[in-house]
Amino acid sequence: MAPAVLPLVTVLQFAENLTDRQAAAMAVRAIDWKYAMGAELTDTGFDPSVLARFRARLAGHGLERVVFDRLVEHCRVAGLVGAGGKQRTDATHVLSAVRDLNRLELAGESVRAALEALAVAAPAWLAAQIDVAEFAHRYGPRVNGWTMPSSKTKRDRLAQVFAQDGYALVRRLRYGRPCLDPRHRGRADPAAGAGADLRAHRSPGGGR
């Protein structure tokens, strides 16, 4: 594979939140990736280990910014970067969008953390309090910005869902305190009751 293609694949991999193996598979079967890479439709791709070695070489030689700096220079020559070469990323609307996504992610992760703790400490109680299948679909995987809905309306709705789930869980803890299983105090047991079901699902927390 041409060295110039590796940074592009790395950016695409990051943007779509893929593992090395998934990124290598996309380079084989995704026609948009092949187009971006300048690869033939019949190209058989590359071994996933290539990406790990590429990142290690970049970090080892302190070259993490090389591709970015060259891109900025190309944009400057092409007239895409204004005089002074400074592009603001701290504009109000940018900061606001980042803040909202971060708060939404923290809200979802807070509920997920509580569920994980209860699945270890009181799995039977938790299973009796929630719809395990629904909560496992929503909170099974890590909640992160890359899996959030793309529209503001859907994100607002997801924020309400996180809030309602968290509030309902707190109320049930306050008025119907669980009987903690002493066997599970202080240690995680992935196979315990509702915990196993929560971890078995891998659908994105918010969907798109």
Side-chain angles (χ1 to χ4, degrees):
M1 173 183 289
V5 176
L6 285 171
L8 174 60
V9 173
T10 301
V11 170
L12 293 173
Q13 176 185 6
F14 177 81
E16 299 198 21
N17 195 28
L18 303 176
T19 65
D20 288 349
R21 189 173 296 277
Q22 290 171 330
M26 287 291 285
V28 174
R29 69 170 182 259
I31 192 170
D32 52 344
W33 278 48
K34 285 183 178 290
Y35 180 83
M37 294 164 56
E40 297 291 337
L41 292 176
T42 55
D43 191 282
T44 57
F46 54 89
D47 188 272
S49 62
V50 170
L51 294 173
R53 292 198 299 270
F54 173 68
R55 292 193 300 269
R57 288 200 301 272
L58 283 182
H61 293 85
L63 300 174
E64 299 92 334
R65 289 185 55 89
V66 168
V67 175
F68 175 76
D69 290 341
R70 289 186 178 179
L71 176 61
V72 171
E73 176 62 17
H74 177 77
C75 291
R76 187 191 66 79
V77 172
L80 300 176
V81 175
K86 175 183 272 188
Q87 298 297 299
R88 297 186 65 87
T89 58
D90 60 347
T92 302
H93 71 281
V94 174
L95 294 177
S96 177
V98 172
R99 180 199 62 197
D100 290 345
L101 283 174
N102 186 54
R103 288 179 176 176
L104 185 56
E105 180 178 344
L106 288 175
E109 278 294 280
S110 297
V111 178
R112 190 173 79 95
L115 289 170
E116 290 285 349
L118 287 169
V120 171
W125 178 88
L126 180 62
Q129 301 299 317
I130 64 172
D131 183 330
V132 175
E134 179 181 347
F135 273 60
H137 176 79
R138 191 175 302 142
Y139 300 106
R142 180 182 180 277
V143 179
N144 64 73
W146 291 106
T147 59
M148 295 296 175
S150 56
S151 74
K152 185 179 185 303
T153 300
K154 291 182 178 179
R155 289 197 301 272
D156 289 345
R157 173 56 186 158
L158 184 59
Q160 292 177 354
V161 171
F162 287 159
Q164 290 167 355
D165 289 345
Y167 181 70
L169 199 57
V170 169
R171 281 185 59 85
R172 287 167 184 167
L173 282 168
R174 181 177 181 181
Y175 297 110
R177 293 181 179 177
C179 178
L180 301 181
D181 187 338
R183 295 174 301 172
H184 300 296
R185 286 177 180 167
R187 65 184 181 89
D189 180 4
D197 292 325
L198 285 170
R199 294 177 178 85
H201 287 68
R202 289 294 179 268
S203 299
R208 284 195 180 272

